Amino acid sequence: QVQLVESGGGLVQPGGSLRLSCAASGSSLDDYAVGWFRQAPGKEREAVSCISRSATRFYYGDSVKGRFTISRDSAKNTVYLQMNSLKPEDTAVYYCAAERTSNFFYSSPARDDYKHWGQGTQVTVSS
């Protein structure tokens, strides 16, 4: 059973950058497809970005394309979300999710496809 812990959130001005980390324990993240989701107050949880086991298949939400980059580091058992050019509308709690899969190219933006979730990290973009 994998446990996920997010970190790296905080308060940043519009146009700034943050890098979120999703550190795993209990199991190797190499066996999992991983996704980043976010939930703003009063809104549904939405997919931000996803990465396959092979790190060759990706998903990016339309609102973050060209600004966010997802990556994974097997040695550190961690998945990252680099967020640049942040906007106030990026303000949300960001969650990391993982799903064990035998398919190296599997990547899904559907939250119901993920069994394991972290507790979330708050990102606030404000001047």
Side-chain angles (χ1 to χ4, degrees), residues 55-100:
T56 58
R57 299 288 175 88
F58 306 93
Y59 167 86
Y60 290 98
D62 288 342
S63 63
V64 307
K65 283 179 182 176
R67 300 188 298 123
F68 291 11
T69 302
I70 192 170
S71 62
R72 58 195 309 159
D73 186 332
S74 294
K76 296 184 178 180
N77 213 22
T78 299
V79 170
Y80 301 100
L81 184 68
Q82 178 67 44
M83 306 188 296
N84 299 329
S85 303
L86 283 161
K87 304 175 181 180
E89 50 264 43
D90 294 318
T91 295
V93 178
Y94 283 70
Y95 298 90
C96 172
E99 180 65 18
R100 193 180 190 100

Coordinates of all heavy atoms in Angstrom, one line a residue, residues 55-100:
A55 N 6.6 7.6 -18.0 CA 6.9 9.0 -18.1 C 6.9 9.5 -19.6 O 7.6 10.4 -19.9 CB 8.2 9.4 -17.4
T56 N 6.2 8.7 -20.4 CA 6.1 9.1 -21.8 C 4.7 9.5 -22.2 O 4.5 10.1 -23.3 CB 6.5 7.9 -22.7 OG1 5.7 6.8 -22.4 CG2 8.0 7.6 -22.5
R57 N 3.7 9.3 -21.4 CA 2.4 9.7 -21.6 C 1.9 10.7 -20.6 O 2.1 10.5 -19.4 CB 1.4 8.5 -21.6 CG 1.7 7.5 -22.7 CD 1.4 8.0 -24.1 NE 1.8 7.0 -25.1 CZ 1.1 6.0 -25.5 NH1 -0.1 5.8 -25.0 NH2 1.5 5.2 -26.4
F58 N 1.4 11.8 -21.0 CA 1.0 12.9 -20.1 C -0.4 13.4 -20.4 O -0.9 13.3 -21.5 CB 2.0 14.1 -20.3 CG 3.5 13.7 -20.1 CD1 4.2 13.4 -21.2 CD2 4.1 13.7 -18.9 CE1 5.5 13.0 -21.1 CE2 5.4 13.3 -18.8 CZ 6.1 13.0 -19.9
Y59 N -0.9 14.0 -19.4 CA -2.2 14.8 -19.5 C -2.0 16.1 -18.8 O -1.4 16.2 -17.7 CB -3.4 14.0 -18.9 CG -4.6 14.9 -18.7 CD1 -5.5 15.0 -19.8 CD2 -4.8 15.7 -17.6 CE1 -6.6 15.9 -19.6 CE2 -5.9 16.5 -17.4 CZ -6.8 16.6 -18.5 OH -7.9 17.4 -18.4
Y60 N -2.5 17.2 -19.5 CA -2.5 18.5 -18.9 C -3.9 19.1 -19.1 O -4.4 19.0 -20.2 CB -1.4 19.4 -19.5 CG 0.0 19.0 -19.1 CD1 0.8 18.3 -20.0 CD2 0.5 19.4 -17.9 CE1 2.1 18.0 -19.6 CE2 1.8 19.1 -17.5 CZ 2.6 18.3 -18.4 OH 3.9 18.0 -18.1
G61 N -4.4 19.6 -18.1 CA -5.7 20.3 -18.2 C -5.5 21.6 -19.1 O -4.4 22.2 -19.1
D62 N -6.5 22.0 -19.8 CA -6.4 23.1 -20.7 C -6.0 24.4 -20.0 O -5.2 25.2 -20.6 CB -7.8 23.3 -21.4 CG -8.1 22.3 -22.4 OD1 -7.2 21.5 -22.9 OD2 -9.3 22.2 -22.8
S63 N -6.4 24.5 -18.8 CA -6.0 25.8 -18.1 C -4.6 25.9 -17.7 O -4.1 27.0 -17.3 CB -7.0 26.0 -16.9 OG -6.8 24.9 -16.0
V64 N -3.9 24.7 -17.7 CA -2.5 24.8 -17.2 C -1.5 24.4 -18.3 O -0.3 24.5 -18.1 CB -2.3 23.8 -16.0 CG1 -3.3 24.1 -14.9 CG2 -2.4 22.3 -16.5
K65 N -1.9 24.1 -19.5 CA -1.0 23.7 -20.6 C -0.1 24.9 -20.9 O -0.5 26.0 -21.0 CB -1.8 23.4 -21.8 CG -2.4 22.0 -21.8 CD -3.2 21.8 -23.1 CE -3.9 20.4 -23.0 NZ -4.8 20.2 -24.2
G66 N 1.2 24.5 -21.0 CA 2.2 25.5 -21.3 C 2.8 26.2 -20.0 O 3.8 26.9 -20.1
R67 N 2.1 26.0 -18.9 CA 2.6 26.6 -17.6 C 3.1 25.6 -16.6 O 4.0 25.9 -15.8 CB 1.4 27.4 -17.0 CG 0.9 28.6 -17.9 CD 0.0 29.5 -17.2 NE -1.2 28.8 -16.7 CZ -1.7 28.7 -15.5 NH1 -1.0 29.3 -14.5 NH2 -2.8 28.1 -15.2
F68 N 2.4 24.4 -16.6 CA 2.8 23.4 -15.6 C 3.5 22.2 -16.3 O 3.2 21.9 -17.4 CB 1.5 22.9 -14.9 CG 0.8 23.8 -14.0 CD1 1.1 25.2 -14.0 CD2 -0.2 23.4 -13.2 CE1 0.5 26.0 -13.1 CE2 -0.9 24.2 -12.4 CZ -0.6 25.6 -12.3
T69 N 4.4 21.6 -15.5 CA 5.1 20.4 -16.0 C 5.2 19.4 -14.9 O 5.6 19.7 -13.8 CB 6.5 20.8 -16.4 OG1 6.5 21.8 -17.4 CG2 7.2 19.6 -17.0
I70 N 4.8 18.2 -15.3 CA 4.8 17.1 -14.4 C 6.0 16.2 -14.7 O 6.4 16.1 -15.9 CB 3.5 16.2 -14.5 CG1 3.4 15.2 -13.3 CG2 3.4 15.5 -15.8 CD1 2.1 14.5 -13.2
S71 N 6.7 15.6 -13.7 CA 7.8 14.8 -13.9 C 7.9 13.8 -12.7 O 7.3 14.0 -11.7 CB 9.1 15.6 -14.0 OG 9.3 16.4 -12.8
R72 N 8.8 12.8 -12.9 CA 8.9 11.8 -11.8 C 10.4 11.5 -11.7 O 11.1 11.4 -12.7 CB 8.1 10.6 -12.1 CG 8.3 9.8 -13.3 CD 7.1 8.8 -13.6 NE 6.8 8.0 -12.5 CZ 5.7 7.4 -12.3 NH1 4.7 7.5 -13.1 NH2 5.5 6.6 -11.2
D73 N 10.8 11.2 -10.4 CA 12.1 10.8 -10.1 C 12.1 9.5 -9.3 O 11.7 9.4 -8.2 CB 12.8 11.9 -9.2 CG 14.2 11.7 -8.9 OD1 14.7 10.5 -8.9 OD2 14.9 12.7 -8.7
S74 N 12.5 8.4 -10.0 CA 12.4 7.1 -9.4 C 13.4 7.0 -8.2 O 13.0 6.4 -7.2 CB 12.8 6.1 -10.5 OG 11.9 6.0 -11.5
A75 N 14.5 7.6 -8.3 CA 15.5 7.5 -7.2 C 14.9 8.1 -5.9 O 15.2 7.6 -4.8 CB 16.8 8.1 -7.6
K76 N 14.1 9.1 -6.1 CA 13.6 9.8 -4.9 C 12.1 9.3 -4.6 O 11.5 9.8 -3.6 CB 13.6 11.3 -5.1 CG 15.0 11.8 -5.1 CD 15.0 13.4 -5.2 CE 16.5 13.9 -5.3 NZ 16.5 15.4 -5.4
N77 N 11.6 8.4 -5.5 CA 10.2 7.9 -5.3 C 9.2 9.1 -5.2 O 8.4 9.1 -4.3 CB 10.2 7.0 -4.0 CG 9.1 5.9 -4.2 OD1 8.8 5.5 -5.3 ND2 8.6 5.4 -3.1
T78 N 9.4 10.0 -6.0 CA 8.7 11.3 -6.0 C 8.2 11.7 -7.3 O 8.9 11.5 -8.3 CB 9.6 12.4 -5.3 OG1 9.9 12.0 -4.0 CG2 8.8 13.7 -5.3
V79 N 7.0 12.3 -7.4 CA 6.5 13.0 -8.6 C 6.4 14.5 -8.3 O 6.0 14.9 -7.2 CB 5.2 12.4 -9.0 CG1 4.5 13.2 -10.1 CG2 5.3 11.0 -9.5
Y80 N 6.8 15.3 -9.3 CA 6.8 16.7 -9.1 C 5.8 17.4 -10.0 O 5.4 16.9 -11.1 CB 8.2 17.3 -9.4 CG 9.3 16.7 -8.6 CD1 10.1 15.7 -9.1 CD2 9.5 17.2 -7.3 CE1 11.1 15.2 -8.3 CE2 10.5 16.7 -6.5 CZ 11.3 15.7 -7.0 OH 12.3 15.2 -6.2
L81 N 5.3 18.6 -9.6 CA 4.5 19.4 -10.5 C 5.1 20.8 -10.4 O 5.0 21.5 -9.4 CB 3.1 19.5 -10.0 CG 2.1 20.3 -10.9 CD1 2.0 19.6 -12.3 CD2 0.8 20.5 -10.3
Q82 N 5.8 21.2 -11.5 CA 6.4 22.5 -11.6 C 5.3 23.5 -12.2 O 4.8 23.2 -13.2 CB 7.6 22.5 -12.6 CG 8.2 23.9 -12.8 CD 8.9 24.4 -11.5 OE1 9.6 23.7 -10.8 NE2 8.7 25.7 -11.3
M83 N 5.0 24.5 -11.4 CA 4.0 25.4 -11.8 C 4.6 26.8 -12.0 O 5.1 27.4 -11.1 CB 2.9 25.5 -10.7 CG 2.4 24.1 -10.3 SD 1.0 24.2 -9.2 CE 1.7 24.9 -7.7
N84 N 4.5 27.3 -13.2 CA 5.0 28.6 -13.6 C 3.9 29.5 -14.0 O 2.8 29.1 -14.3 CB 6.0 28.5 -14.7 CG 7.2 27.6 -14.3 OD1 7.7 27.6 -13.2 ND2 7.8 26.9 -15.3
S85 N 4.2 30.8 -14.0 CA 3.2 31.8 -14.5 C 1.9 31.6 -13.7 O 0.8 31.6 -14.4 CB 3.0 31.7 -16.0 OG 4.2 31.9 -16.7
L86 N 2.0 31.5 -12.5 CA 0.8 31.2 -11.7 C -0.2 32.4 -11.7 O 0.1 33.6 -11.8 CB 1.1 30.9 -10.2 CG 1.7 29.5 -10.1 CD1 2.5 29.3 -8.8 CD2 0.6 28.4 -10.1
K87 N -1.5 32.0 -11.7 CA -2.6 33.0 -11.7 C -3.5 32.8 -10.5 O -3.5 31.7 -9.9 CB -3.4 32.7 -13.0 CG -2.7 32.7 -14.3 CD -3.6 32.3 -15.4 CE -2.8 32.3 -16.8 NZ -3.7 31.9 -17.9
P88 N -4.2 33.8 -10.1 CA -5.1 33.7 -9.0 C -6.1 32.5 -9.1 O -6.4 31.9 -8.1 CB -5.8 35.0 -9.0 CG -4.9 36.0 -9.6 CD -4.2 35.2 -10.7
E89 N -6.5 32.2 -10.3 CA -7.4 31.1 -10.5 C -6.8 29.7 -10.3 O -7.4 28.7 -10.3 CB -8.1 31.2 -11.9 CG -7.1 31.3 -13.1 CD -7.0 32.8 -13.5 OE1 -6.9 33.7 -12.6 OE2 -7.0 33.0 -14.7
D90 N -5.5 29.7 -10.1 CA -4.8 28.4 -9.7 C -4.9 28.1 -8.2 O -4.5 27.1 -7.8 CB -3.3 28.5 -10.1 CG -3.1 28.5 -11.6 OD1 -3.8 27.8 -12.4 OD2 -2.2 29.3 -12.1
T91 N -5.4 29.1 -7.5 CA -5.6 28.9 -6.1 C -6.5 27.7 -5.8 O -7.6 27.6 -6.3 CB -6.1 30.1 -5.4 OG1 -5.2 31.2 -5.6 CG2 -6.4 29.9 -3.9
A92 N -6.0 26.8 -5.0 CA -6.7 25.5 -4.7 C -5.9 24.7 -3.8 O -4.7 24.9 -3.5 CB -7.0 24.8 -6.0
V93 N -6.5 23.6 -3.2 CA -5.8 22.6 -2.6 C -5.4 21.6 -3.7 O -6.2 21.1 -4.5 CB -6.6 21.9 -1.5 CG1 -5.8 20.7 -0.9 CG2 -7.0 22.9 -0.4
Y94 N -4.1 21.2 -3.7 CA -3.6 20.3 -4.7 C -3.3 19.0 -4.1 O -2.7 18.9 -3.1 CB -2.3 20.9 -5.3 CG -2.5 22.0 -6.3 CD1 -3.0 23.2 -5.9 CD2 -2.3 21.8 -7.7 CE1 -3.3 24.3 -6.8 CE2 -2.6 22.8 -8.6 CZ -3.1 24.0 -8.1 OH -3.3 25.1 -9.0
Y95 N -3.8 17.9 -4.8 CA -3.7 16.6 -4.3 C -3.0 15.7 -5.3 O -3.1 15.9 -6.5 CB -5.1 16.0 -4.2 CG -6.0 16.6 -3.2 CD1 -6.9 17.7 -3.5 CD2 -6.0 16.2 -1.8 CE1 -7.7 18.3 -2.6 CE2 -6.8 16.8 -0.9 CZ -7.7 17.9 -1.3 OH -8.5 18.5 -0.4
C96 N -2.2 14.8 -4.8 CA -1.5 13.8 -5.5 C -2.3 12.5 -5.4 O -2.8 12.2 -4.3 CB -0.1 13.7 -5.0 SG 0.9 12.3 -5.7
A97 N -2.4 11.8 -6.5 CA -3.1 10.5 -6.5 C -2.3 9.5 -7.3 O -1.6 9.8 -8.3 CB -4.5 10.7 -7.1
A98 N -2.4 8.2 -6.9 CA -1.7 7.2 -7.6 C -2.5 5.9 -7.8 O -3.4 5.6 -7.0 CB -0.4 6.8 -6.8
E99 N -2.3 5.3 -8.9 CA -3.0 4.0 -9.2 C -2.0 3.0 -9.7 O -1.3 3.3 -10.7 CB -4.1 4.3 -10.3 CG -4.9 3.1 -10.7 CD -5.7 2.5 -9.5 OE1 -6.0 3.2 -8.5 OE2 -6.2 1.3 -9.6
R100 N -2.0 1.9 -9.1 CA -1.1 0.8 -9.5 C -1.6 0.2 -10.8 O -2.8 -0.1 -11.0 CB -1.1 -0.3 -8.4 CG 0.1 -1.3 -8.6 CD 0.0 -2.4 -7.5 NE 1.2 -3.2 -7.6 CZ 2.3 -3.1 -6.8 NH1 2.2 -2.1 -5.9 NH2 3.3 -3.8 -6.9

